[in-house]
């Protein structure tokens, strides 16, 4: 079997997989698909079971999983090929066995880096294996799996296909339960040769996006059903060209509701986001005035109005602030000095030791800190 696959893959790679169409398809939906980027990684440590569970609870259509492989051949969920950024370990993943990786803390870094979303339960989270993720969610979840650094690992594609087979994900791939993505074209072509009906996405860096023409998309469409570009690099023409060739477009990583609205209008059918509820926050508002606190510049918007940027406001730095669940965040290009938020939903609790006034109150933001003050305060 292995020998047969080897011959087939080698033939396909040499021949450039010259089949004119791919058999794989993605199911059509009536809404923009939300791919939980590294799980609900805006709220919980990326690529951990906590992050995936939260993504499930928040109703993500897919969880995105970055795959690396251990020294002893286990597929694990981790973005970087080294342990340094998101665990208390050090060095390349491929130099460590699964048993060694399981000793590491993959959650505490998040609490330190994102105190407004920190939780005690994140301390000591472990790196999950893909098998553990499948065990946990089975067929109740859809998976968007990225082959990270496949060139560093032996037979990563074989290992993945065998696991997908074991968990019944290859029985009917037309349901789109599993999509595999990669920046690495060779890895995608290997997967295509092994399982042509498995939906594949060619990820593109900003540099690749810039160079992409209809011809590029034609080549990609020989093995993939979608392209995954960096959203900041694409425009309407890029999307039109890809759509004309029959590719779907799944941009990463979009946390800005205004950008989502624009991309959807252009024909994007799914987005990777760190904040699954980005298009449906509890409260929004915002505004900012650098340096000076001037209430006349502040305005409250209901959830339904979020897609309209307030034209009468001269926004400096911050474009918007979204208050989700028990945290908040803002997006902008400059530094924030003051933000005043009129609280419109008293049922939402704040990440503070004090209880906010249930009547509309104000929250004063100072850079990344805030305090609640009574109305007019
Ligand atoms: O899969 C889309 C996106 O995740 C690619 O970028 O670096 O977050 O894995 P990255
Ligand atoms: Ca990824």
């Amino acid at each position: 079997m292995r020998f047969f696959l080897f011959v087939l893959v080698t033939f396909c790679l040499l021949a450039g997989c010259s089949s004119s169409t791919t058999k794989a398809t993605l199911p059509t939906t009536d809404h923009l698909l939300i791919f939980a980027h590294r799980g609900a990684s805006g709220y919980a440590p990326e690529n951990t079971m906590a992050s995936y569970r939260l993504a499930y609870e928040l109703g993500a259509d897919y969880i995105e999983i970055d795959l690396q492989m251990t020294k002893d051949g286990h597929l694990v969920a981790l973005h970087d090929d080294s342990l340094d950024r998101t665990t208390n370990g050090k060095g390349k993943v491929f130099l460590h066995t699964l048993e060694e990786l399981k000793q590491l803390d993959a959650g505490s870094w998040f609490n330190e880096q994102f105190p407004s979303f920190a939780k005690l339960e994140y301390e000591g989270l472990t790196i999950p294996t893909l098998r553990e993720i499948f065990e946990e969610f089975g067929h109740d979840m859809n998976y968007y799996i990225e082959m990270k650094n496949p060139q560093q690992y032996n037979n990563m594609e074989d290992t993945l296909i065998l696991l997908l087979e074991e968990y019944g994900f290859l029985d009917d791939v037309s349901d789109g339960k599993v999509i595999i993505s990669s920046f690495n074209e060779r890895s995608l072509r290997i997967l295509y040769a092994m399982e042509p009906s498995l939906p594949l996405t060619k990820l593109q860096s900003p540099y690749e996006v810039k160079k992409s023409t209809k011809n590029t998309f034609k080549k990609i469409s020989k093995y993939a059903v979608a392209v995954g570009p960096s959203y900041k690099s694409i425009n309407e023409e890029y999307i039109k060209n890809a759509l004309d060739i029959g590719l779907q477009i799944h941009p990463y990583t979009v946390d800005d509701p205004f950008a989502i609205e624009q991309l959807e209008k252009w024909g994007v059918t799914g987005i990777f986001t760190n904040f699954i509820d980005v298009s449906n926050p509890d409260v929004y508002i915002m505004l900012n005035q650098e340096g000076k606190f001037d209430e006349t510049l502040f305005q409250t918007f209901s959830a339904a109005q979020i897609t309209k940027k307030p034209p009468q406001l001269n926004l400096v730095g911050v474009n918007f602030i979204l208050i989700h669940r028990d945290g908040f965040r803002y997006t902008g290009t400059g530094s924030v000095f003051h933000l005043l938020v009129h609280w419109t939903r008293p049922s939402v609790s704040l990440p503070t030791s004090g209880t906010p006034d249930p009547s509309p109150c104000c929250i004063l933001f100072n850079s990344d800190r805030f305090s609640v003050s009574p109305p007019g305060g």
Side-chain angles (χ1 to χ4, degrees):
M1 173 71 172
R2 287 244 160 166
F3 177 72
F4 173 71
L5 279 178
F6 174 77
V7 173
L8 181 70
V9 167
T10 310
F11 172 77
C12 182
L13 289 173
L14 290 174
C17 284
S18 60
S19 156
S20 59
T21 52
T22 171
K23 279 189 251 159
T25 50
L26 285 176
T28 47
T29 55
D30 54 357
H31 66 279
L32 182 75
L33 290 171
I34 300 294
F35 311 128
H37 185 243
R38 311 179 194 178
S41 63
Y43 302 121
E46 63 181 58
N47 285 315
T48 62
M49 215 55 107
S51 179
Y52 297 135
R53 283 184 191 133
L54 188 53
Y56 181 75
E57 275 168 34
L58 290 173
D61 292 297
Y62 284 75
I63 50 173
E64 194 243 0
I65 302 165
D66 294 302
L67 270 198
Q68 306 283 350
M69 207 160 129
T70 63
K71 188 177 174 183
D72 48 347
H74 294 274
L75 296 173
V76 290
L78 198 76
H79 179 271
D80 301 358
D81 65 348
S82 74
L83 302 164
D84 303 48
R85 183 177 61 88
T86 57
T87 79
N88 56 348
K90 281 208 178 326
K92 295 280 188 191
V93 177
F94 69 76
L95 294 174
H96 298 265
T97 62
L98 180 60
E99 202 187 335
E100 285 164 357
L101 290 196
K102 282 293 182 185
Q103 312 305 316
L104 303 176
D105 175 348
S108 292
W109 71 274
F110 179 89
N111 288 351
E112 284 154 29
Q113 214 162 309
F114 303 103
S116 63
F117 292 114
K119 285 193 173 147
L120 202 61
E121 70 210 49
Y122 295 159
E123 282 177 21
L125 285 175
T126 55
I127 298 172
T129 62
L130 186 58
R131 179 180 289 281
E132 286 167 344
I133 298 168
F134 287 166
E135 282 291 329
E136 169 100 14
F137 301 104
H139 284 235
D140 291 343
M141 178 43 94
N142 300 319
Y143 304 92
Y144 214 126
I145 301 172
E146 180 180 350
M147 304 293 275
K148 277 280 184 215
N149 317 102
Q151 70 284 357
Q152 289 186 16
Y153 305 116
N154 279 335
N155 303 321
M156 192 183 192
E157 294 79 11
D158 286 19
T159 312
L160 175 63
I161 291 289
L162 286 174
L163 200 65
L164 290 176
E165 204 164 26
E166 185 185 332
Y167 281 85
F169 288 116
L170 299 183
D171 296 349
D172 178 14
V173 284
S174 62
D175 58 6
K177 278 232 142 293
V178 176
I179 305 173
I180 311 293
S181 70
S182 191
F183 286 100
N184 188 307
E185 181 182 330
R186 186 173 186 276
S187 185
L188 292 175
R189 284 186 180 277
I190 292 172
L191 287 167
Y192 179 72
M194 294 169 86
E195 191 58 60
S197 50
L198 188 61
L200 303 177
T201 295
K202 173 68 179 76
L203 298 174
Q204 290 192 307
S205 66
Y207 175 70
E208 288 174 288
V209 167
K210 226 182 216 175
K211 287 194 310 175
S212 287
T213 61
K214 274 200 176 178
N215 233 359
T216 316
F217 295 133
K218 262 186 208 147
K219 281 184 196 152
I220 291 175
S221 71
K222 304 282 188 214
Y223 59 87
V225 294
V227 276
S230 156
Y231 90 91
K232 285 185 180 157
S233 331
I234 62 178
N235 55 27
E236 195 170 7
E237 193 193 348
Y238 171 97
I239 291 174
K240 190 179 173 312
N241 284 343
L243 287 175
D244 283 353
I245 302 299
L247 289 168
Q248 295 202 29
I249 302 106
H250 296 163
Y252 63 91
T253 305
V254 202
D255 293 335
D256 175 344
F258 302 114
I260 293 173
E261 189 192 357
Q262 180 66 79
L263 291 167
E264 213 178 346
K265 270 189 202 148
W266 284 345
V268 159
T269 49
I271 52 140
F272 293 93
T273 181
N274 298 318
F275 295 89
I276 294 140
D277 43 2
V278 64
S279 348
N280 184 29
D282 295 316
V283 180
Y284 335 45
I285 309 198
M286 21 322 111
L287 326 160
N288 74 332
Q289 173 67 11
E290 260 187 285
K292 198 166 150 241
F293 189 74
D294 180 352
E295 195 162 350
T296 61
L297 288 173
F298 293 90
Q299 193 170 323
T300 304
F301 296 89
S302 72
Q305 289 173 303
I306 186 62
T307 53
K308 294 187 189 81
K309 231 174 186 171
Q312 73 276 35
L313 292 162
N314 177 24
L315 300 182
V316 182
V318 166
N319 298 325
F320 61 86
I321 176 161
L322 306 182
I323 300 178
H324 287 278
R325 296 173 55 82
D326 50 359
F328 70 91
R329 69 198 173 85
Y330 59 80
T331 295
T333 51
S335 55
V336 190
F337 291 92
H338 292 108
L339 287 171
L340 180 67
V341 175
H342 293 279
W343 200 247
T344 57
R345 282 203 213 167
S347 60
V348 179
S349 61
L350 285 167
T352 170
S353 49
T355 313
D357 188 320
S359 62
C361 67
C362 307
I363 308 166
L364 178 64
F365 286 79
N366 281 301
S367 188
D368 60 346
R369 292 155 181 236
F370 65 88
S371 59
V372 179
S373 61

